[in-house]
């Protein structure tokens, strides 16, 4: 019995190994359907040795030449709750949240977004044919350079992963231009999420951390500013001390000697 049991296990292991080595060919959304685990965004367990990424802790984003990156802070706490990347004139905001193990959040969150956008005076419609599933196309109210009401296109993409959820917001040309949207989608698919193993309530935002290089640069600038302020203060004190020792006038134009 033990022999047969071992052979059965070996067969199962071989099948699992073969399954893990399957490589999907073609472009998702063009040649085949999108497969999140294969096409991304990825869980850190799927891309543990991913290179060419900016490490923000819970989220890692591709380091693309010419890209501008801004860390989004939560008012009141200054927690880093998201990252906004500017790619070719379009902006992509990425936020990651904890999610239940057994079900996704995107359907429910999408419905809430539609209600919120309409309540703010905008409009929204669901695109059922998005590459990574249903996407939300919105027109958000704002003000143009002349102060008049203007509507800007925004595209919301939601991705349910293993115990995490990623919400991406695209604005700028890529929100409506198919060619530029494809570039931003490819960028998004390279994102890696590291949720951690601790228990978290669903929808809790995963706090990000700045890259070490940013921390070091901020410390360098802070030190330089403190040194400059100290030098300025010392120079002012020296000038004040020098002024008190200057010869005084007797009011006749003559100077005391």
């Amino acid at each position: 019995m033990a022999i047969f049991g071992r052979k059965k296990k070996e067969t199962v292991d071989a099948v699992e190994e073969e399954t893990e080595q399957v490589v999907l060919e073609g472009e998702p959304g063009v040649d085949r359907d999108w497969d999140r685990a294969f096409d991304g965004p990825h869980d850190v367990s799927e891309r543990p040795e991913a290179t060419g990424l900016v490490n923000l802790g819970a989220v890692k984003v591709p380091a693309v030449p010419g890209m501008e990156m801004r860390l989004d802070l939560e008012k009141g706490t200054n927690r880093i709750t998201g990252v906004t990347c500017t790619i070719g004139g379009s902006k992509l905001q990425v936020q990651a949240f904890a999610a239940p193990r057994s079900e996704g959040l995107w359907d429910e969150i999408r419905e809430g977004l539609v209600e919120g956008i309409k309540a703010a005076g905008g409009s929204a419609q669901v695109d059922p044919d998005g590459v990574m599933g249903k996407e939300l196309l919105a027109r958000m109210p704002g003000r143009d350079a002349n102060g008049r009401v203007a509507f800007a296109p925004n595209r919301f993409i939601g991705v349910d992963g293993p115990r995490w959820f990623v919400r991406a917001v695209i604005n700028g040309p890529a929100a409506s231009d198919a060619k530029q949207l494809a570039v931003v989608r490819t960028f998004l698919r390279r994102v890696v999420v590291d949720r951690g193993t601790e228990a978290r309530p669903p929808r809790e935002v995963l706090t990000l951390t700045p890259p070490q290089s940013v921390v070091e640069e901020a410390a360098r600038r802070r030190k330089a500013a403190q040194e400059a302020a100290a030098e300025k203060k010392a120079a002012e004190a020296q000038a004040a001390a020098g002024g008190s020792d200057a010869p005084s006038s007797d009011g006749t134009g003559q100077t005391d000697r």
Side-chain angles (χ1 to χ4, degrees):
M1 293 296 293
I3 295 177
F4 286 108
R6 183 166 60 250
K7 286 184 178 180
K8 182 177 181 181
K9 184 178 186 304
E10 291 173 354
T11 302
V12 171
D13 290 344
V15 171
E16 290 179 349
E17 182 178 356
E18 182 179 352
T19 302
E20 291 175 355
Q21 294 176 351
V22 170
V23 176
L24 302 180
E25 297 182 354
E27 184 71 13
V30 178
D31 307 303
R32 57 177 174 77
D33 291 338
W34 165 70
D35 183 288
R36 198 229 29 100
F38 182 81
D39 296 311
H42 298 286
D43 186 76
V44 68
S45 64
E46 299 159 350
R47 292 290 187 276
E49 304 298 332
T51 58
L53 301 176
V54 180
N55 189 352
L56 302 174
V59 170
K60 300 172 177 59
V61 299
V64 175
M67 176 188 76
E68 296 180 7
M69 187 179 72
R70 183 192 74 215
L71 300 178
D72 303 322
L73 303 180
E74 181 181 60
K75 292 182 180 180
T77 66
N78 283 336
R79 287 194 308 155
I80 303 174
T81 57
V83 57
T84 297
C85 302
T86 301
I87 309 162
S90 296
K91 294 183 183 298
L92 169 68
Q93 183 195 51
V94 177
Q95 292 181 294
F97 303 83
R101 185 186 301 273
S102 59
E103 59 183 15
L105 294 176
W106 180 221
D107 288 341
E108 184 179 349
I109 288 178
R110 190 174 60 250
E111 292 177 1
L113 285 171
V114 171
E115 294 177 0
I117 292 168
K118 290 182 177 179
S123 62
Q125 64 180 33
V126 176
D127 178 4
D129 301 320
V131 171
M132 292 183 282
K134 293 180 180 179
E135 299 179 356
L136 185 63
L137 307 181
R139 285 169 51 81
M140 309 290 289
R143 299 284 177 177
D144 62 15
N146 298 318
R148 294 174 297 189
V149 176
F151 292 86
N154 282 254
R155 183 179 294 264
F156 294 80
I157 299 176
V159 180
D160 289 306
R163 300 181 67 203
W164 53 256
F165 167 76
V166 162
R167 188 185 73 173
V169 186
I170 302 171
N171 59 65
S176 54
D177 182 84
K179 186 174 181 180
Q180 297 191 55
L181 174 59
V183 174
V184 175
R185 274 203 188 110
T186 298
F187 179 94
L188 177 60
R189 284 171 42 210
R190 292 179 58 197
V191 166
V192 174
V193 180
D194 187 354
R195 179 203 179 281
T197 58
E198 62 272 26
R200 296 179 182 274
R203 298 196 181 202
E204 179 183 67
V205 65
L206 302 184
T207 303
L208 308 186
T209 56
Q212 185 60 32
S213 59
V214 173
V215 174
E216 293 173 354
E217 176 63 16
R220 186 192 67 78
R221 292 187 180 186
R222 184 165 54 251
K223 182 179 179 181
Q226 291 172 345
E227 291 176 348
E231 290 176 1
K232 181 180 179 181
K233 186 176 181 179
E236 291 174 347
Q238 184 177 3
S244 63
D245 294 337
S248 60
S249 172
D250 62 1
T252 63
Q254 298 297 317
T255 306
D256 293 338
R257 297 291 182 185

